[in-house]
Amino acid sequence: MVAAYENSKWEPVKWENDMHCAVKIPDKNQWQRGQIIRMVTDTLVEVLLYDVGVELVVNINCLRELQENLKTMGRLSLECSLADIRPAGGSDKWTATACDCLSLYLTGAVATVILQVCNKENNTTWPLPVKIFCRDEKGERVDVSKYLIKKGLALRERRINKLDNNHSLSQKSLEIPLEQGEAVIPKCIKINPDKKAADVIDEHRVSEFKEKVLEPKTTGCYKPPVIPKQKVFEAIVSCIGDDGTIFVVPKLSEFELIKMMNEIQSNLKCLGLLEPYFWKKGEACAVRGSDTMWYRGKILEVIGSTIRVQYLDHGFTEKIPQCHLYPILLYPDTPQFCIPCQLCNTIPVGNVWQPDAIELLQELLSKREVEVHVMKPTDYNKMSEEERWEIRFEELLSSETETPVLPPYLSSSLPPPEELYAVQVKHVVSPNEVYICLDSVENCGVFNQHSDTDDSGVGWEPESESLEEALRSFNKVVETAPPLTDFRAEMPCLAEYDDGLWYRAKIVSIKEFNPLSVLVQFVDYGSTEKLTLNRLRQIPLHLMQYPARAMKVLLAGFKPPLRDSGKARIPYCPQWSMEALWAMIDCLQGKQLYAASVAQVPEQIVTLYEDEQYPVHMSLVEMGLADQDE
């Protein structure tokens, strides 16, 4: 639509009711197909955007004649009406209150839509009579019709003449495309003997399929794959796992797999309505994949409203919504076709398969016919999956795996107000928020060499000889320190910096779970970094005796400028520009600095000086990157 009408020019057209048109949505670069409802004025028209079901009034300048090739495609939205209810109050029209309530409850919601009836001779009732179910704020399944009745906005419809085929669905009804975010789940098909044989599923065929294929709501599992007896066999590589596992399907089994998949697709239309179901890890199921085909699957992980599943006959894994799963076994007596393999005597660099290595394997092997040489065969049939694992609890009880809960680091304190003292700026967060530590005048020359105000590294504390020696000794025997196993907030620990050395730190938060990564703060410098578990260790108790060197302070005397909106902003502190941040770093780096406390409660506020008299922030004020704050 955009390609066809983006550069089109308006031409005068005599618009009439029911005419089809292309509509430009006001304030959006978007075109929709529409139909004229009525002419409001000579320049305003009420149109129905029938692909999304929205009515709106637009200027005729937003209308274009609809091209013939765009008229051939059917409407993309379905017009539905709630079955078995009628407006309350004795009227045959719905009140504005009922419409507003329904709009508030359903707009944008993920709902389950169940078609109710379909008349004989393929004459579909329009709008489609449906039942709609959705989740409320408690996560409970709610019938929208009953909800309106409960609110006094609707009454239950009294039906006198029921259809003979009330619970049947036509084959055409099952093929209605799904709207995004909705699921149409049919009831079991009831065969009408008056219909033609080509329009129904043979009753004997359905019952035979159920007996052969389905075991509803089972807790069983699919049989493991059968390894060919030959030491060398031909196979097709179906996929490559993220852990380097190569999934292959033997050529001898390819025809059986195709046959089974075809039978599943042609027969798996008789599933009943799925009641609320709680999935468990390792449970077998039927999966409707992103290609709308049904597969045999297994639950790998439950992640909120989505589930990570594995397609057992192909090896793929995918995260999909729960509505695409069904708790049944398909062909439970047929072993899995896909065999997981590993390259013999091949270890990835770093003992972990990296993404680029996986991409190379996928490029070399995916969908290729290969010759598999079995070097170390495994008989999957001798034992179940649980029996192949030996579970030992001794290591969980060892003292090395338990992280002792330590108190927070001791805090350093600033001298009293109005006293001038030398400081080092360790880390800059924003122009008026920095981390400092106390210094002496004689150490300022060392500060010029090791300051990390440019965020280029972490320097040793020159005035803390004992802490420096303790950390230096620890770095020599870092491999003996136990790994960190407790990741609660503020937990003291030791963390590896980019220079390969270990420093004192504390846990800020968990950033990612797969793989697990933790945000830590280096307490003697103020900087933060996201680290993996192998870069975290338990801190020895003797390193806790030293107070945390870095103190967060706010700088007094200046504030963000009123007119500075055009420059690039700091993402986490948008009131300041990036230019002001770099200018402040230039003002702090390589200079002897002094501070005077302005306030210490509730936050520590100081004024930074250069040469004991010139405020550092005056440079930003003179450049127009900050305003003076009296």
Side-chain angles (χ1 to χ4, degrees):
M1 292 288 291
V2 174
Y5 292 99
E6 184 176 16
N7 299 319
S8 62
K9 296 182 180 180
W10 178 80
E11 296 179 359
V13 176
K14 185 179 180 181
W15 297 107
E16 298 178 356
N17 293 352
D18 299 327
M19 287 182 64
H20 289 260
C21 58
V23 184
K24 183 177 182 180
I25 309 301
D27 302 327
K28 294 182 180 179
N29 186 24
Q30 188 180 62
W31 289 85
Q32 295 275 358
R33 297 187 302 171
Q35 189 171 12
I36 305 295
I37 298 177
R38 64 186 180 94
M39 302 296 296
V40 180
T41 66
D42 292 340
T43 58
L44 295 179
V45 182
E46 185 178 4
V47 297
L48 168 66
L49 308 179
Y50 52 77
D51 288 324
V52 292
V54 175
E55 296 179 1
L56 74 163
V57 176
V58 298
N59 193 287
I60 58 174
N61 293 332
C62 298
L63 302 183
R64 305 286 189 275
E65 287 190 272
L66 190 64
Q67 298 177 4
E68 291 298 326
N69 62 320
L70 294 174
K71 296 180 182 180
T72 57
M73 184 184 300
R75 298 190 178 194
L76 301 181
S77 65
L78 296 178
E79 203 173 333
C80 305
S81 64
L82 291 172
D84 300 332
I85 62 171
R86 54 189 172 89
S91 172
D92 58 350
K93 294 184 178 181
W94 290 97
T95 63
T97 304
C99 294
D100 290 343
C101 179
L102 197 61
S103 175
L104 179 65
Y105 200 81
L106 287 181
T107 301
V110 177
T112 300
V113 181
I114 303 177
L115 303 179
Q116 292 301 289
V117 296
C118 192
N119 293 337
K120 294 181 180 180
E121 303 300 333
N122 291 328
N123 293 325
T124 305
T125 304
W126 202 261
L128 290 173
V130 298
K131 298 280 282 185
I132 299 179
F133 296 86
C134 63
R135 303 282 181 181
D136 61 9
E137 60 275 3
K138 297 181 180 178
E140 297 179 355
R141 192 165 175 263
V142 176
D143 185 337
V144 176
S145 298
K146 292 182 180 179
Y147 176 79
L148 292 176
I149 294 173
K150 183 179 179 180
K151 290 291 184 180
L153 300 174
L155 298 174
R156 189 169 297 281
E157 183 70 77
R158 296 177 181 177
R159 297 192 303 170
I160 301 175
N161 298 323
K162 295 185 179 181
L163 295 174
D164 296 335
N165 192 25
N166 187 40
H167 295 290
S168 66
L169 295 174
S170 70
Q171 190 71 14
K172 182 177 180 181
S173 300
L174 295 178
E175 297 173 356
I176 294 176
L178 303 183
E179 285 290 329
Q180 184 176 2
E182 297 181 347
V184 180
I185 305 179
K187 294 184 178 180
C188 288
I189 298 174
K190 181 178 179 182
I191 305 303
N192 186 343
D194 295 335
K195 292 185 178 181
K196 297 180 180 180
D199 297 330
V200 298
I201 300 175
D202 183 76
E203 196 170 285
H204 175 70
R205 183 183 171 195
V206 172
S207 60
E208 182 182 356
F209 174 75
K210 284 185 176 181
E211 293 176 1
K212 180 180 179 182
V213 180
L214 304 178
E215 292 184 7
K217 295 190 178 181
T218 179
T219 57
C221 58
Y222 290 110
K223 291 184 177 181
V226 177
I227 309 299
K229 296 180 180 179
Q230 305 93 332
K231 288 188 177 181
V232 179
F233 62 91
E234 293 182 347
I236 296 177
V237 178
S238 58
C239 81
I240 309 296
D242 293 337
D243 58 353
T245 302
I246 302 172
F247 294 90
V248 302
V249 177
K251 288 282 291 181
L252 295 175
S253 305
E254 185 180 12
F255 177 76
E256 295 180 23
L257 174 60
I258 295 174
K259 180 182 177 182
M260 183 190 73
M261 290 295 296
N262 290 337
E263 290 183 4
I264 291 176
Q265 309 318 311
S266 60
N267 293 300
L268 203 61
K269 295 180 181 179
C270 56
L271 293 178
L273 176 63
L274 179 61
E275 298 296 330
Y277 191 81
F278 297 96
W279 295 98
K280 298 178 182 178
K281 181 179 179 180
E283 188 173 359
C285 61
V287 184
R288 189 171 192 180
S290 53
D291 57 359
T292 71
M293 294 180 63
W294 286 95
Y295 298 85
R296 302 194 300 176
K298 175 183 176 182
I299 306 297
L300 296 182
E301 187 179 7
V302 179
I303 313 170
S305 60
T306 60
I307 293 180
R308 192 162 67 95
V309 298
Q310 182 180 37
Y311 299 87
L312 293 179
D313 297 310
H314 300 80
F316 299 104
T317 60
E318 186 180 20
K319 290 182 181 179
I320 61 174
Q322 293 190 18
C323 59
H324 289 187
L325 302 177
Y326 207 88
I328 59 174
L329 289 180
L330 303 175
Y331 290 85
D333 296 329
T334 303
Q336 302 170 30
F337 287 93
C338 193
I339 303 174
C341 304
Q342 288 183 341
L343 294 174
C344 186
N345 298 327
T346 302
I347 301 176
V349 176
N351 293 323
V352 176
W353 285 98
Q354 301 300 325
D356 53 349
I358 298 298
E359 290 177 4
L360 178 60
L361 285 176
Q362 291 173 343
E363 183 179 351
L364 291 175
L365 298 177
S366 291
K367 309 302 179 185
R368 301 285 182 88
E369 292 187 10
V370 296
E371 193 175 81
V372 180
H373 293 248
V374 182
M375 308 301 292
K376 298 177 182 179
T378 302
D379 190 351
Y380 286 90
N381 294 316
K382 287 185 178 180
M383 57 184 73
S384 64
E385 183 176 352
E386 291 78 7
E387 292 173 341
R388 291 199 298 272
W389 292 92
E390 181 182 358
I391 302 176
R392 300 179 62 185
F393 300 95
E394 291 83 353
E395 294 182 359
L396 297 178
L397 301 177
S398 65
S399 59
E400 294 183 355
T401 59
E402 181 181 358
T403 300
V405 179
L406 299 174
Y409 291 99
L410 299 174
S411 299
S412 298
S413 58
L414 295 176
E418 299 182 358
E419 180 178 331
L420 200 64
Y421 48 90
V423 296
Q424 295 180 8
V425 176
K426 288 295 184 180
H427 180 65
V428 179
V429 178
S430 67
N432 66 338
E433 182 180 336
V434 299
Y435 282 84
I436 66 172
C437 70
L438 298 179
D439 193 17
S440 58
V441 176
E442 58 269 24
N443 285 329
C444 289
V446 182
F447 163 63
N448 292 347
Q449 301 173 11
H450 294 281
S451 169
D452 75 341
T453 53
D454 59 353
D455 227 10
S456 61
V458 174
W460 291 106
E461 289 288 345
E463 79 283 6
S464 305
E465 293 296 327
S466 58
L467 175 59
E468 179 184 0
E469 292 174 356
L471 284 172
R472 186 173 297 166
S473 300
F474 171 80
N475 275 273
K476 295 179 180 179
V477 293
V478 65
E479 298 299 331
T480 62
L484 190 68
T485 57
D486 194 324
F487 305 100
R488 69 189 71 189
E490 301 293 322
M491 184 70 180
C493 63
L494 285 162
E496 184 184 20
Y497 194 67
D498 292 339
D499 58 4
L501 298 176
W502 293 74
Y503 300 88
R504 300 195 303 169
K506 66 178 181 180
I507 303 296
V508 178
S509 63
I510 304 294
K511 297 301 291 182
E512 295 177 4
F513 289 95
N514 187 21
L516 184 63
S517 59
V518 183
L519 183 68
V520 302
Q521 183 181 44
F522 294 94
V523 296
D524 296 318
Y525 305 93
S527 58
T528 59
E529 189 169 353
K530 186 174 71 171
L531 302 176
T532 52
L533 296 187
N534 61 324
R535 299 178 65 183
L536 298 174
R537 292 189 181 274
Q538 297 183 28
I539 184 171
L541 189 59
H542 70 276
L543 291 178
M544 292 293 298
Q545 62 180 314
Y546 308 100
R549 297 292 188 258
M551 293 170 281
K552 185 179 78 170
V553 297
L554 300 179
L555 303 184
F558 66 108
K559 60 184 178 180
L562 293 177
R563 299 178 180 178
D564 194 26
S565 58
K567 299 181 175 66
R569 320 307 295 174
I570 302 176
Y572 54 85
C573 191
Q575 61 267 33
W576 288 102
S577 67
M578 289 298 298
E579 186 178 351
L581 176 64
W582 289 114
M584 175 56 79
I585 291 176
D586 291 339
C587 293
L588 300 176
Q589 189 173 11
K591 296 179 181 179
Q592 180 176 319
L593 300 173
Y594 297 87
S597 297
V598 176
Q600 295 185 352
V601 178
E603 293 182 300
Q604 299 191 100
I605 304 176
V606 304
T607 302
L608 277 183
Y609 294 93
E610 181 183 347
D611 300 330
E612 302 186 15
Q613 56 182 353
Y614 182 74
V616 173
H617 63 264
M618 290 304 298
S619 298
L620 268 69
V621 175
E622 293 170 358
M623 289 186 287
L625 299 175
D627 291 341
Q628 198 159 0
D629 188 6
E630 300 297 337

